[in-house]
Amino acid sequence: MPLEFEKEHLELYQKIDQLRRLYQLGEKDKEAELRKLQREFRKNAKELYKKLDPWSRVLIARHPHRPHTVDYISLIFRDFTELHGDRCFGDDRSIVAGFAYLDNMPVAIIGHEKGRSTKEKMDRNFGMPHPEGYRKAIRVAKLAEKYRMPVITFVDTPGAYPGIGAEERGQSEAIARSLYTFGYLKVPSIAVVIGEGGSGGALALAVANRILMLENAIYSVISPEGCAAILWKDQSKVKEASAALKLTAQDLLKLGVIDYIVPEPLGASHIDPKRSARVLKYFLRRCLKELINRSPEEILSERIKKFERMGDFLEK
């Protein structure tokens, strides 16, 4: 289902798709009309997505057709081998973790996964990890460090699961240990916020040498709904909360929380996932090229200094 502000834009995209099919079938008289609509689409997209307010970006980040971790794994990497379980309690399917190749380089991949269908969403717990999910992530990260492989994480979660069972099994301890593990890895690490980056559940996988964020993703200490409920006791204040939280990629780049904004295709990632994956792959290659030849000591020192700089301020 398209978002309200996207309806006209998506109708134009569908017309272009229909004309492209006709042109490919040999109806060459459609070429001029196709090119005209493509120009109109590009202009419309630039105007529409340039003026989005923070709440609109929240809605895009949560779009049901937005590419997930498993989509980016299949589109960017090859020969992915998934690992399961934390060797302590069980396997949390809200965290996907394993090893693959980026071009010819072996890498570890760890990411949140929300699922698509209702059945899969329940199986994946809507992308909200339990403690065993974070312990699985830690296990794979340590294996990557042992075999000198870079670690790439994909962040897309409303937050860690807040249920009683998760708390009984040490949710806060698992998140804290994950923060420590990723903070002190002696191999290059890249975190990519691809959708929702919610609270400590997201931060647990986002301590890295390079933090990338897709153009319409969000990253924040609390959801806009939670913020509105606490500050205004009014759920209708989500737009004001979204603006106050500074949760967009554009705001976070200015604040120094992230390193790069990854541009999304005209019309956002959910309209053209393959193109979105190609752009993200370019940024992953670029970051790995910057980091791959550095010594373990340099990798660790740079990461620590990066996070020490966050929150610096001058008192006037």
Side-chain angles (χ1 to χ4, degrees):
M1 182 181 292
L3 301 173
E4 188 62 37
F5 59 83
E6 286 187 313
K7 283 183 178 178
E8 184 181 336
H9 185 64
L10 285 177
E11 287 172 4
L12 186 58
Y13 181 81
Q14 289 164 0
K15 286 180 183 177
I16 290 172
D17 191 48
Q18 290 168 359
L19 277 174
R20 189 182 289 114
R21 292 173 189 271
L22 291 172
Y23 179 71
Q24 289 171 347
L25 289 171
E27 298 191 27
K28 301 301 181 183
D29 58 318
K30 302 293 184 183
E31 183 177 6
E33 187 179 356
L34 176 60
R35 292 187 183 281
K36 180 183 175 182
L37 280 179
Q38 286 174 331
R39 287 194 297 270
E40 186 180 341
F41 177 81
R42 285 193 290 269
K43 181 182 177 183
N44 181 275
K46 287 177 182 177
E47 292 176 355
L48 176 64
Y49 291 94
K50 186 178 180 180
K51 63 183 180 182
L52 289 178
D53 60 21
W55 176 242
S56 296
R57 294 197 189 274
V58 172
L59 297 177
I60 294 176
R62 295 173 175 172
H63 197 286
H65 295 147
R66 191 171 178 85
H68 291 174
T69 294
V70 294
D71 299 313
Y72 284 116
I73 289 174
S74 65
L75 290 168
I76 295 175
F77 306 92
R78 65 178 176 86
D79 298 336
F80 177 65
T81 300
E82 185 175 359
L83 274 64
H84 297 276
D86 65 344
R87 296 186 175 176
C88 180
F89 180 82
D91 184 42
D92 183 357
R93 285 177 51 76
S94 64
I95 294 282
V96 174
F99 299 96
Y101 287 92
L102 177 63
D103 298 326
N104 293 317
M105 181 185 296
V107 296
I109 303 168
I110 303 165
H112 302 97
E113 177 54 45
K114 292 180 173 180
R116 291 284 180 203
S117 65
T118 301
K119 183 180 178 182
E120 191 181 3
K121 286 177 181 177
M122 293 177 69
D123 184 41
R124 302 281 190 182
N125 201 36
F126 299 86
M128 296 184 290
H130 293 81
E132 48 272 22
Y134 292 115
R135 290 177 182 135
K136 175 168 65 172
I138 291 167
R139 180 165 78 92
V140 172
K142 286 184 174 179
L143 270 174
E145 183 178 50
K146 179 178 179 180
Y147 292 105
R148 306 299 305 148
M149 294 183 190
V151 176
I152 298 172
T153 62
F154 291 93
V155 177
D156 187 17
T157 179
Y161 186 62
I164 293 174
E167 295 297 339
E168 288 175 341
R169 296 193 301 277
Q171 183 72 289
S172 58
E173 185 273 344
I175 291 174
R177 190 171 293 276
S178 183
L179 291 168
Y180 180 86
T181 300
F182 282 95
Y184 285 91
L185 284 177
K186 292 182 179 179
V187 290
S189 57
I190 303 170
V192 189
V193 185
I194 58 174
E196 280 188 279
S199 193
L203 185 61
L205 299 188
V207 178
N209 291 94
R210 297 287 183 273
I211 303 174
L212 315 182
M213 195 166 168
L214 267 64
E215 186 179 357
N216 293 308
I218 60 170
Y219 190 24
S220 137
V221 68
I222 192 172
S223 69
E225 294 88 344
C227 179
I230 292 170
L231 292 184
W232 289 281
K233 307 290 190 290
D234 184 355
Q235 286 289 303
S236 68
K237 297 289 186 180
V238 288
K239 288 188 176 182
E240 291 85 344
S242 299
L245 285 168
K246 303 295 182 185
L247 45 65
T248 67
Q250 295 74 19
D251 286 327
L252 293 170
L253 184 65
K254 291 177 184 176
L255 292 170
V257 174
I258 65 172
D259 298 296
Y260 297 109
I261 296 175
V262 180
E264 296 187 27
L266 296 175
S269 292
H270 57 273
I271 291 183
D272 195 346
K274 289 183 179 178
R275 188 173 177 186
S276 182
R278 285 197 299 270
V279 176
L280 177 54
K281 188 174 184 178
Y282 164 80
F283 275 85
L284 292 176
R285 285 170 171 161
R286 176 179 168 181
C287 290
L288 283 175
K289 189 176 180 181
E290 294 172 1
L291 297 167
I292 201 65
N293 292 320
R294 298 185 185 178
S295 69
E297 292 72 24
E298 289 173 327
I299 290 288
L300 180 55
S301 175
E302 180 192 291
R303 190 185 303 123
I304 291 172
K305 288 177 181 176
K306 172 188 177 65
F307 282 88
E308 284 179 344
R309 287 194 299 269
M310 291 185 190
D312 284 356
F313 66 93
L314 293 174
E315 188 172 346
K316 294 183 178 179

